Amino acid sequence: MSVPHRVAVLALDGVVALDLGTPAQVLGAARADDRTPLYAVATCTPGGLPIRSSAGFQVLPDHGLELLGSADTVIVPGIHAGSPLSDGTVPVEVAGALRAAYDRGARVMSICTGAFVLAAAGLLDGRRATTHWAYASRFRHLHPGVRLDPDVLFVDDGRVLTSAGVAAGIDLCLHVVRTDHGSAVANRAARRCVVPPWRDGGQAQYIERPVPRGADNGTAATREWARQRLHEPVALREMAAHARMSVRTFTRHFRSETGLSPAQWLLQQRTEHARVLLETTDLSVDRIARDAGFGTAAALRQHFHTRVGVAPTAYRRTFRRSPAPRSAAPRSASARSASVDLGGVAPGRPDVSELSTATTA
């Protein structure tokens, strides 16, 4: 039995309660096919002392900073008070423990204003990073050497990852699971946590979210209808007609509900369907390109590399699970609808002009 990936959550005074619980909840839901936990998550504080949370209760940890010395990944949740926010500093022992963990090869992550802690420890200098949009001005003032991008949900900069506020920590943790173990494991973890399996890291933090429309006049039913037709050309006018809206009205409501244009969303779904087929079947790249709606292998390679960062064959070698027979039946519509895309965190979302003929909506 393999040893679970060791995760240390470093909580400081004023820790945001949701951020503190997110790693244990999301990473703890990631299981192998035999239900073996893939991550072991523990919490520590400086000196192993109790700290105050932002929600009015105290946190009594089981470990001190020594936990960082053996962790494979270190996560710093957000804080609502303290020197990292007021003057951009952290205690010497905290900065030293974080730098030592990084120097020996650990992955280091922050959720929300936890980025202030990483920056104060000198781990974000010259890097691209993000934090909660409401703290962007303060962050830039305290840490001008960091390339802050406050308009995204999370940033993956190799062994240093940062996320935006609150729920974006869930997106980041699911991204880590997907990167470490593939789409199937991440999607199962998301279902256990009853959260969407995927939101693009490049998605804006503050998408307009009006009062939800009724189920009979939103775009959810049309999105499900389109998911079942990923292998076919799906035109914007067809989606609008299915939703019984004008093209202009449909596009406006679709973007307000998903944060993406219909064309961007379709490309996202097709990329994820291709990812799952690469992970779970022996189908050729040409066949996967057709089944996922890209039309040609060349189009699949182009868009897959842009969004995932590797070629389809390289992805298959990395994330291949137990091979399925070549005669395996195509994935059902319900299985397709559960799939969502990792997306390219570093590249921006593609414009409509980037889409192939088969994906243009």
Side-chain angles (χ1 to χ4, degrees), residues 6-359:
R6 296 162 298 185
V7 179
V9 179
L10 171 58
L12 300 180
D13 206 38
V15 67
V16 177
L18 178 61
D19 296 356
L20 176 63
T22 292
Q25 185 67 49
V26 178
L27 299 180
R31 304 295 178 93
D33 291 341
D34 62 0
R35 302 186 63 81
T36 300
L38 295 171
Y39 300 90
V41 184
T43 300
C44 67
T45 63
L49 299 174
I51 60 168
R52 295 184 302 273
S53 79
S54 64
F57 59 82
Q58 285 195 329
V59 177
L60 181 61
D62 290 331
H63 305 277
L65 291 176
E66 69 279 357
L67 186 67
L68 275 61
S70 59
D72 302 305
T73 293
V74 176
I75 302 178
V76 181
I79 52 175
H80 274 178
S83 63
L85 295 180
S86 61
D87 58 20
T89 64
V90 290
V92 174
E93 64 273 19
V94 172
L98 286 169
R99 287 197 296 266
Y102 177 80
D103 289 344
R104 66 172 176 76
R107 177 170 54 193
V108 180
M109 300 165 48
S110 67
I111 299 174
C112 193
T113 50
F116 282 79
V117 178
L118 297 190
L123 294 177
L124 298 183
D125 291 345
R127 293 183 180 272
R128 180 170 172 256
T130 193
T131 190
H132 194 296
W133 62 267
Y135 289 83
S137 295
R138 184 184 305 185
F139 188 95
R140 287 195 178 102
H141 173 71
L142 293 174
H143 304 289
V146 179
R147 294 185 290 121
L148 184 70
D149 185 351
D151 297 328
V152 297
L153 293 179
F154 59 83
V155 171
D156 182 338
D157 195 37
R159 284 198 296 116
V160 179
L161 300 89
T162 52
S163 81
V166 197
I170 298 174
D171 298 301
L172 179 58
C173 288
L174 285 173
H175 166 71
V176 165
V177 174
R178 186 172 288 107
T179 300
D180 290 350
H181 300 287
S183 300
V185 174
N187 290 351
R188 288 199 302 268
R191 286 194 293 273
R192 288 193 183 97
C193 296
V194 198
V195 296
W198 181 90
R199 288 195 299 169
D200 189 350
Q203 184 170 312
Q205 287 191 36
Y206 32 88
I207 300 166
E208 180 183 0
R209 296 291 186 190
V211 175
R213 295 162 58 84
D216 59 340
N217 60 357
T219 67
T222 298
R223 295 198 301 275
E224 177 60 26
W225 173 85
R227 282 192 186 100
Q228 297 178 22
R229 291 161 177 79
L230 294 177
H231 60 289
E232 305 172 0
V234 179
L236 175 58
R237 62 181 180 277
E238 293 176 311
M239 296 176 73
H242 183 273
R244 296 192 175 109
M245 300 180 192
S246 70
V247 169
R248 183 175 180 179
T249 298
F250 174 77
T251 301
R252 183 176 70 253
H253 285 297
F254 194 99
R255 186 179 288 277
S256 74
E257 292 173 21
T258 69
L260 302 170
S261 72
Q264 292 166 342
W265 180 86
L266 274 171
L267 180 57
Q268 176 191 103
Q269 302 301 311
R270 285 178 166 136
T271 303
E272 172 57 20
H273 187 40
R275 288 162 59 98
V276 174
L277 291 176
L278 288 166
E279 290 182 22
T280 61
T281 77
D282 280 331
L283 295 175
S284 68
V285 172
D286 285 317
R287 173 65 184 275
I288 291 174
R290 293 194 299 272
D291 287 356
F294 288 98
T296 68
L300 169 60
R301 291 187 186 100
Q302 174 189 347
H303 294 299
F304 200 88
H305 193 280
T306 297
R307 298 187 67 81
V308 182
V310 297
T313 52
Y315 182 86
R316 170 173 268 171
R317 285 194 300 269
T318 301
F319 289 111
R320 186 57 186 250
R321 296 295 180 258
S322 299
R326 287 186 181 275
S327 59
R331 284 165 51 82
S332 66
S334 61
R336 288 179 184 174
S337 66
S339 298
V340 286
D341 181 33
L342 162 66
V345 178
R349 294 193 302 271
D351 295 326
V352 174
S353 61
E354 294 182 69
L355 305 182
S356 66
T357 302
T359 59

